[in-house]
Amino acid sequence: MQRRSRGLTAAVAALGMTASLAACGASGGSSDVTLTLVAADYGDSAANSSQKYWDKLVKAFEAKNPDIKVKVSVYSWNDVDRKVKDMVAKGKAPDMAQIGAYADYAADGKLYSADELLSIPVQADFLLQLSEAGEVDRIQYGLPFAASTRLLFYNKTLFKDAGLTPPKTWAELQADARVLKSRGVKIPYALPLGPEEAQAETMMWLLSGGAGYSDNVGTYDIDSTENIRTFDWLRNDLVGEGLTGSTPPGELNRAQAFAAFTRGDVGMLNGHPTLMQMAAKKGVKFGMVPMPGINGQAKATMGVADWMMAFKQKGHREQIGKFLDYVYSEKNVLAFSHEYDLLPVTTSASDAMSEDKDDKQLAGFLEELPTSELYPVGKTSWAEVSADIKQQIGKAVTKNGNPASILGQLQREAAAVENAG
């Protein structure tokens, strides 16, 4: 997941003098406390492991707060959520966890709310739609930590050689893909519906078709008329015409699709900011545009956020709040965003990034973030629903696939899990 920003609202500025109110009256003294944080690794090698980021941040924090120590343990994304789940199950929850989902822990009453932890200016600095995505029953428990959006990447060289322009509609995307196929491009459009991140590609297409996973009141609506229409089009007009390459979409993972793009084998695909560096390192010239919609630009792009949360078990509310206020300073948010090509989760850091000429390549992603739509992460059922989508959705676009049947099955399973919760 992205990179930088700046600027608080007048209301926040007016509240600046009360910045420390959230910490007042917190339980636990501030002498000789050691906080524990379990965090995900955003690096792709030992050289840029997130452990290095946290070690530097913690050293600076401890220098200013000698009575608070912080021990950070970093795990890969393959392991970190399970690690925290196991720790909580054994009654040994960390003070903080920076992972992919928070709703289950919030629903079980295990987390501090944001207003129990953060100073008013820090809490108010979160981008609004990210704050709202961190809520369960209208109370924020999930603190957004890193964000990204998606744009349609296209191979500039392939497009120029074929005399093509980036698509703005599904029909134009199909037409471009047909030309690329006729010119021998291996994968005119990469459609990764394999189990790695099928829920993301699916959501991007659902949004481009005018709907999404939920309706306007937040109820699962996976088999809506619009969603069925979207997957009928994908099956018949894209996959059915051989415009997605030789690997069945249900067997193509995002990592494979990204790697193929960096080899010059892909004409178009949806991607996040990390793909920019990957492609540039391989010498691939690329462009980025908003995701095409059925009759024009999609109603919204997909946004993704990872989450920070604080567990009540050890009762270190005051010290956790002080540490998290430091974590979410503009300087530190920008540093993390720059290190891992992620988008900032705060207004101040986002404004700073948008004003920095060095970050101009991220402008398109930043522009999409305020109006992006996120997964329904506030639902405790989402983790299970997402897992079902990863395993099943690729079947909807096979030659004999039935989108209405597959989406209907997913809807029934989602409703059952939601009702059981």
Side-chain angles (χ1 to χ4, degrees):
M1 297 178 143
Q2 302 72 348
R3 296 201 173 198
R4 289 193 204 170
S5 312
R6 177 179 307 152
L8 292 176
T9 64
V12 176
L15 292 168
M17 289 188 293
T18 61
S20 62
L21 287 180
C24 290
S27 60
S30 58
S31 60
D32 300 321
V33 168
T34 298
L35 302 177
T36 55
L37 165 62
V38 174
D41 194 351
Y42 290 80
D44 55 13
S45 67
N48 70 342
S49 168
S50 293
Q51 189 71 57
K52 291 189 174 182
Y53 169 81
W54 285 113
D55 287 348
K56 183 178 180 180
L57 183 148
V58 165
K59 183 178 181 180
F61 173 79
E62 291 179 347
K64 295 182 178 180
N65 300 273
D67 52 349
I68 304 174
K69 304 299 180 185
V70 185
K71 180 180 179 181
V72 183
S73 301
V74 172
Y75 297 89
S76 76
W77 274 109
N78 294 328
D79 302 319
V80 68
D81 288 278
R82 183 175 65 251
K83 177 66 177 178
V84 173
K85 184 176 181 180
D86 290 345
M87 293 173 73
V88 173
K90 293 175 181 177
K92 298 180 179 180
D95 290 293
M96 295 164 284
Q98 186 272 298
I99 51 179
Y102 66 87
D104 284 354
Y105 302 122
D108 288 342
K110 296 182 183 298
L111 302 181
Y112 287 118
S113 64
D115 58 7
E116 290 179 299
L117 297 167
L118 303 174
S119 63
I120 292 172
V122 170
Q123 187 177 358
D125 198 21
F126 289 128
L127 294 169
L128 180 59
Q129 86 278 25
L130 298 182
S131 290
E132 292 177 345
E135 294 178 352
V136 173
D137 295 330
R138 299 185 181 278
I139 298 174
Q140 185 183 358
Y141 295 96
L143 313 180
F145 183 73
S148 73
T149 54
R150 302 292 194 268
L151 293 174
L152 182 74
F153 283 67
Y154 64 96
N155 184 307
K156 277 189 171 182
T157 302
L158 296 177
F159 267 61
K160 182 179 180 181
D161 291 347
L164 301 175
T165 56
K168 296 180 179 179
T169 66
W170 289 1
E172 291 176 3
L173 186 148
Q174 180 193 46
D176 287 349
R178 285 171 172 168
V179 172
L180 292 171
K181 180 184 178 183
S182 72
R183 295 176 62 85
V185 175
K186 292 181 179 180
I187 309 175
Y189 177 85
L191 183 67
L193 294 178
E196 179 189 6
E197 205 188 32
Q199 85 285 359
E201 185 73 14
T202 296
M203 184 168 174
M204 285 181 271
W205 278 100
L206 298 186
L207 290 173
S208 76
Y213 286 128
S214 307
D215 60 20
N216 291 333
V217 295
T219 303
Y220 283 121
D221 197 19
I222 298 172
D223 62 345
S224 67
T225 300
E226 295 89 347
N227 290 345
I228 292 172
R229 177 187 62 192
T230 295
F231 268 81
D232 279 339
W233 187 86
L234 286 173
R235 182 196 63 182
N236 299 329
D237 296 77
L238 213 58
V239 181
E241 289 199 17
L243 302 178
T244 56
S246 59
T247 301
E251 298 175 17
L252 181 68
N253 282 323
R254 183 193 66 182
Q256 295 170 279
F258 279 17
F261 187 79
T262 65
R263 294 194 301 269
D265 292 339
V266 175
M268 298 171 280
L269 83 169
N270 287 314
H272 52 65
T274 303
L275 184 56
M276 295 190 305
Q277 280 196 0
M278 294 173 62
K281 286 179 181 178
K282 296 289 187 177
V284 174
K285 295 181 180 179
F286 60 90
M288 301 173 293
V289 294
M291 176 70 178
I294 185 169
N295 292 313
Q297 186 175 328
K299 71 164 188 175
T301 189
M302 184 187 76
V304 177
D306 298 325
W307 303 95
M308 178 74 77
M309 62 214 70
F311 289 88
K312 294 179 178 179
Q313 184 177 330
K314 298 176 184 177
H316 295 148
R317 178 161 70 97
E318 179 183 355
Q319 296 88 353
I320 294 171
K322 187 175 290 187
F323 178 67
L324 291 178
D325 270 0
Y326 185 76
V327 167
Y328 284 104
S329 67
E330 180 183 317
K331 174 185 175 182
N332 287 325
V333 172
L334 282 172
F336 185 85
S337 300
H338 281 135
E339 180 66 29
Y340 299 107
D341 286 323
L342 294 164
L343 300 181
V345 296
T346 62
T347 300
S348 59
S350 293
D351 289 348
M353 180 176 280
S354 65
E355 294 167 4
D356 192 330
K357 294 180 180 179
D358 291 339
D359 292 320
K360 62 182 180 180
Q361 273 199 305
L362 285 167
F365 294 99
L366 282 168
E367 289 169 6
E368 296 290 326
L369 186 58
T371 57
S372 64
E373 191 164 317
L374 280 74
Y375 299 130
V377 290
K379 292 180 177 290
T380 57
S381 58
W382 172 243
E384 189 169 339
V385 172
S386 175
D388 287 342
I389 293 169
K390 290 179 181 181
Q391 296 301 319
Q392 302 296 330
I393 197 65
K395 299 175 184 176
V397 296
T398 60
K399 182 177 181 180
N400 297 317
N402 185 327
S405 176
I406 296 296
L407 292 174
Q409 177 185 339
L410 289 169
Q411 171 63 24
R412 289 189 296 274
E413 292 172 350
V417 175
E418 179 73 2
N419 293 334

